[in-house]
Amino acid sequence: MIRKPLLAACVAGLLALTAACGSGDGGGKESGETALTYLVFETPSLDAKFWDDSITAASAQTPGVKINKIVAPSTDRDGYAKQLQQSGQFPDLLQSITPSNFVGAGLLKPYDKTWIDANFLLPSANSLKGEVYIPPTNSQIVPQVYYNKQLFQQAGIEKAPTTWAEFLDACAKLKAKNINPIELGGADPFAASMPLVGIVSADILGKNKNWLQDRYADKVKFADADMVTAVNKYRTLVTSGYFDKGALGVKYADSITRFTTGKSAMYPMGSWFLGSVPKDTADNFGSFPWPTDNGDVVVPFVGGGSMAISAKAKDTALAEKFGQAWSLNPANLKALIETDGAFPMIKGKTLKDYNVTVTKVFEDSYAYVGQDNNKVSAIGWATNDDALPAGLNDAFYAAAQALFTKDDVAGELKKLDEAWKTAAQ
């Protein structure tokens, strides 16, 4: 998820604009209805019409509710929600936030467990201490490695690599043909971290699924030898020239364009990239899991979801009914599947039930979700008990950017341990 800094000064103006554009005052009773505020975010794919239509549909199944939409000024819902909370305007419903950033302060109400268990394939995919604050409607793999089949053929690479040695060999063959091996949107911190997310998820969590819980218990550290060895793989890719030299100046949006137009052969990115695969050349793209030393498949998995409920909502029961109706609406999942590469996780449904049009690379990527493989929490992206402490995501991103130009792996990992100690206090 793209996270951008916000301008605090925008809050009051945006709230005023939202109230002016919406209907009602954002709270209390209106004509016998209970007005609830709903924080959403807009993207080119999830535009105003998508949110308005989805609100109308869920409202029709929730008698007595009136929804007043609040649009975040960027995709950083967490940051904006915190600003609203500080100003006494915490929304009643909050779309796609990170629950761990709010549960500690008692701001969120969990969903009914019976309903969660009855409706979702992985009910505990984003649970926190046994409670679910966002229905696990969909999932992502963060990252997969997407590749250009034509460029692989030009370099004489016959199949997608499964081991680290094969991956390095593929990179070397591509470079030898003057093809940039790996695309990196290094100007955006989250995108810059993708290779590191893949490496750490595969090499560390792939061998110890409980590594993050062990870190919370202070049993392991980022500065440990196995983590240093893993992160040095990233330095190997950098020093071998397998990224463009100017990668730190490439914006995330531009990295997508560069990859899809054949400027690079591989692209480690979250599965939301699947929504950006050009339909006319979709058959030219494939995907594979981040390679491990022995070729074992490790899938860095993230349980996604819909909306959280404020524990102080004007009517928490009504808010939950609205959240349930919204979460199970196939039309909402259809949009997320086709435009955001979301993998649906509602019980009893296949892709056909959503009436979606997806590419072959989507189907191949989605297959990893249903397979019996080693699924681990994608470091820095989990929304369950494996979520990093507040602030650690930014520290992890900063380390990834720093290690593009610095050789001090041990020093950067020590900084992460120091940041963890501060954040976990």
Side-chain angles (χ1 to χ4, degrees):
M1 193 59 60
I2 307 173
R3 302 186 181 275
K4 297 180 182 178
L6 305 175
L7 295 176
C10 292
V11 175
L14 280 161
L15 282 172
L17 179 59
T18 300
C21 295
S23 53
D25 62 5
K29 297 277 186 178
E30 297 179 6
S31 303
E33 297 178 319
T34 298
L36 300 176
T37 52
Y38 178 23
L39 176 63
V40 304
F41 62 98
E42 292 181 358
T43 68
S45 300
L46 306 180
D47 57 12
K49 185 178 186 304
F50 166 81
W51 294 111
D52 291 343
D53 289 348
S54 71
I55 288 170
T56 298
S59 296
Q61 298 182 53
T62 316
V65 74
K66 182 174 184 60
I67 298 297
N68 290 326
K69 181 179 67 173
I70 300 172
V71 181
S74 83
T75 53
D76 183 5
R77 284 87 65 190
D78 288 353
Y80 192 53
K82 289 176 182 178
Q83 292 186 42
L84 295 177
Q85 191 267 331
Q86 290 169 2
S87 63
Q89 301 173 89
F90 195 64
D92 299 308
L93 296 155
L94 306 94
Q95 185 74 27
S96 302
I97 61 167
T98 307
S100 59
N101 288 339
F102 302 92
V103 168
L107 293 172
L108 302 182
K109 174 192 179 298
Y111 278 81
D112 176 65
K113 290 182 181 179
T114 302
W115 178 79
I116 292 289
D117 291 341
N119 287 286
F120 301 103
L121 294 173
L122 292 175
S124 61
N126 50 22
S127 67
L128 289 168
K129 295 180 171 57
E131 301 286 2
V132 175
Y133 296 91
I134 289 185
T137 58
N138 61 83
S139 62
Q140 303 269 5
I141 297 174
V142 186
Q144 283 187 297
V145 184
Y146 300 95
Y147 71 99
N148 183 310
K149 295 178 181 179
Q150 198 171 59
L151 294 181
F152 265 40
Q153 291 175 352
Q154 289 179 21
I157 304 167
E158 297 181 355
K159 66 180 184 68
T162 58
T163 68
W164 179 247
E166 290 174 352
F167 185 65
L168 292 180
D169 182 62
C171 289
K173 288 178 177 177
L174 289 161
K175 186 180 178 183
K177 291 289 186 179
N178 293 317
I179 300 169
N180 185 54
I182 308 171
E183 183 59 42
L184 185 71
D188 285 288
F190 89 93
S193 75
M194 281 296 150
L196 207 53
V197 173
I199 290 169
V200 173
S201 297
D203 284 15
I204 302 300
L205 277 75
K207 296 175 182 176
N208 177 13
K209 285 188 177 184
N210 297 319
W211 190 91
L212 284 160
Q213 294 307 303
D214 289 345
R215 185 64 193 84
Y216 274 105
D218 210 27
K219 295 178 181 178
V220 297
K221 294 187 181 299
F222 283 98
D224 288 347
D226 58 346
M227 182 68 80
V228 173
T229 298
V231 176
N232 265 311
K233 287 184 172 181
Y234 177 61
R235 283 298 301 161
T236 295
L237 297 177
V238 174
T239 57
S240 299
Y242 296 154
F243 300 105
D244 189 283
K245 290 181 179 179
L248 285 187
V250 177
K251 295 181 179 179
Y252 166 62
D254 293 332
S255 70
I256 294 175
T257 301
R258 284 173 52 83
F259 175 64
T260 56
T261 56
K263 300 295 191 300
S264 301
M266 292 182 283
Y267 189 40
M269 186 48 63
S271 49
W272 55 81
F273 164 73
L274 291 165
S276 299
V277 174
K279 299 297 185 290
D280 56 340
T281 58
D283 289 344
N284 187 41
F285 296 95
S287 68
F288 57 89
W290 190 271
T292 56
D293 288 333
N294 61 6
D296 286 349
V297 173
V298 177
V299 177
F301 191 75
V302 180
S306 56
M307 68 191 70
I309 306 164
S310 168
K312 298 180 181 179
K314 299 165 190 71
D315 186 331
T316 55
L318 195 65
E320 183 167 4
K321 287 180 181 178
F322 178 85
Q324 290 176 349
W326 196 101
S327 299
L328 296 180
N329 185 350
N332 297 337
L333 269 295
K334 172 182 169 66
L336 293 171
I337 292 165
E338 291 184 333
T339 65
D340 203 39
F343 300 140
M345 301 295 288
I346 296 177
K347 281 184 177 179
K349 293 187 181 298
T350 66
L351 283 177
K352 291 182 180 179
D353 294 317
Y354 297 98
N355 192 30
V356 293
T357 301
V358 296
T359 60
K360 179 67 162 57
V361 66
F362 181 101
E363 293 176 347
D364 292 345
S365 299
Y366 183 39
Y368 287 106
V369 175
Q371 292 172 3
D372 183 14
N373 48 39
N374 186 10
K375 293 181 179 65
V376 303
S377 293
I379 189 165
W381 291 86
T383 55
N384 55 18
D385 289 321
D386 285 337
L388 296 179
L392 253 292
N393 284 54
D394 290 337
F396 189 84
Y397 301 158
Q401 288 181 312
L403 288 170
F404 192 85
T405 56
K406 294 169 61 177
D407 239 342
D408 189 12
V409 170
E412 289 300 320
L413 293 177
K414 183 179 179 181
K415 288 181 184 178
L416 287 179
D417 283 321
E418 293 169 351
W420 186 291
K421 182 177 180 180
T422 300
Q425 286 179 346

